[in-house]
Amino acid sequence: MTVVETDILVIGSGVSGLYYAIKSHKLGRLMIINKLEKYESATYYAQGGIASVFSSEDSFEEHISDTLVAGDGLCNRDAVEVVVRDAPNRIKELIGLGVKFSKAPDPVDNDVVYDLTREGGHTKRRILHADDLTGREIEVSLMRAAENMGVRVSDHRMAIDLITINKVLGIKGGQDRVIGAYVLNTLTGDVETVLAKLVILATGGAGKVYLYTSNPDTETGDGIAMAYRAGASIANMEFIQFHPTCLYHPEAKSFLISESVRGEGGILKRKDGTPFMAAYHPMKELAPRDIVARAIDSELKKSGDEYVLLDVTHLDPDFTRKRFPHIYNTLLKYGIDMTGQPIPVVPAAHYTCGGVVADLDGRTDIRGLFAIGETACTGLHGANRLASNSLIEGLVFANRVAQTTEPYLGDKLPYETIPPWTPGNAVDSDEMVVVSHNWDEIRRLMWNYVGIVRSDKRLVRARRRIEMIREEINEYYWHFKVNKDVLELRNIATVAELAIRCAQIRRESRGIHYNIDYPHKDDAAWLKDTVIKKQ
Ligand code: SIN
């Protein structure tokens, strides 16, 4: 078995992992791993943009206020302040690293300035973007910058589990210390023991827990599940954000229609062409996302239709083609010309607001273990994330972690106590059907029972099923040789159970958690996070 010793192990190579690596590669030996190919991460597919106060007509106070309003009472104000106030510095640094954001002539003096768009919940134009491929521009630029600095991402490596001192020495209680991770090389099937003084979880979110999601295949909640198994606190997993507008098309997998399409004037309509958002919120199409997603859900339930329409046919076709080239061209491939016909859309799971509890410097409650980006729950998003606040969260906290981690590199760690990985027996290929069946079952049950609208009864059913499935997976996991599908299945099952348990704990409706048995917000009892820790 291969043993690799490094100083810092970064798990995940989206915006948070790459930016952390760029900021700290000089601290010591740094290894960054990605379970698929180069660039594959949620960052790469982010369309809309990155929020920051960049106009003289905007202010930190307004960005803070919009974030707090979206978060519906549960944001940690300190986290919000830290992100909003540091955002312009991070963006300037991105520009310095080669990121090219879209520009446009200033309407007042015709100077060329960064083009700022709007999305739901924002009272000002404050979203920088690179056409409608913002994430791709950031990911590719950061990867290039990291490579130029000598940072290499090891692809096809999936972390299986964290290794901690308490676990290897059989200690119960007291503060634990991470000392590495077991990592599967998904090409060879070998498991490597990676010894590290610092482990940075930057694995993204968990949208794949749901049948319909805007997320790419990478998002199986790996960091959250591993941190939970290792004993770290996990919070607010009931707050899974549904994006209101994913393309409805039998051949399209996870194709998002960016909120900026509504920001530029797109109108939501019933299939018969009647606009409906005015009946739900005064901000209509630009109401916070939870309200728009629930409005669409309610329209679909009332009509029995499979989708609603997003209409931009009233906009200048040249503007639409220029502003949304990726969306326009992708839709054309599916036979839809968005300049001349409305787009069929449905809501889909999009963003995990909860995650591994992390303080303002990314520390979790296991020493040496840090969480950043969508994997972390820093308190920025509260009960609902404001659109385009996530890429910036990743940057701000990656930078803060980079300022914090050096002292941990001096710790002396008992690497000699780490047991080698014990492989299971060979996989009987007939059994892989169990894996694909369980994948499908979890994602369907989460969609049907733990979706946009929840009830106590559905949550109880979901809990019962997921507990049975987890038992089956455990049996499977310990008897067979691990592979990526089995590891991801084990992780989505864990994250699904965490989401159900958090949803059961919160006996109110707030932000993106809506339970018909408690349809109102209860500030007296529930102005707090739902925190779960493995006993
Ligand atoms: C979008 O483009 O609609 C996604 C933006 C976000 O989720 O922040």
Side-chain angles (χ1 to χ4, degrees), residues 456 503-509 513 515 518 520 522 526:
D456 277 357
Q504 285 186 307
I505 295 170
R506 185 169 294 281
R507 292 167 172 257
E508 63 159 357
S509 289
H513 170 68
N515 183 333
Y518 315 97
H520 303 293
D522 179 358
W526 286 107

Side-chain angles (χ1 to χ4, degrees), residues 46-49 119 241 243 245 256-260 262 289 350-351 385-391:
Q47 294 178 0
E119 289 180 358
Q241 184 175 68
H243 195 290
T245 57
L256 187 76
I257 309 296
S258 174
E259 197 146 310
S260 44
R262 279 176 285 129
R289 228 171 241 190
H350 182 61
Y351 192 86
R385 179 186 65 109
L386 183 67
S388 285
N389 258 358
S390 42
L391 292 169

Side-chain angles (χ1 to χ4, degrees), residues 392-411:
I392 196 62
E393 180 193 34
L395 292 169
V396 169
F397 281 98
N399 181 53
R400 292 177 71 88
V401 175
Q403 313 300 318
T404 308
T405 37
E406 192 165 7
Y408 294 78
L409 297 172
D411 289 2

Side-chain angles (χ1 to χ4, degrees), residues 224 233-237 352-357 374-377:
I224 299 169
S233 298
I234 310 294
N236 291 356
M237 289 300 294
T352 313
C353 293
V356 185
V357 176
E374 194 171 347
T375 310
C377 180

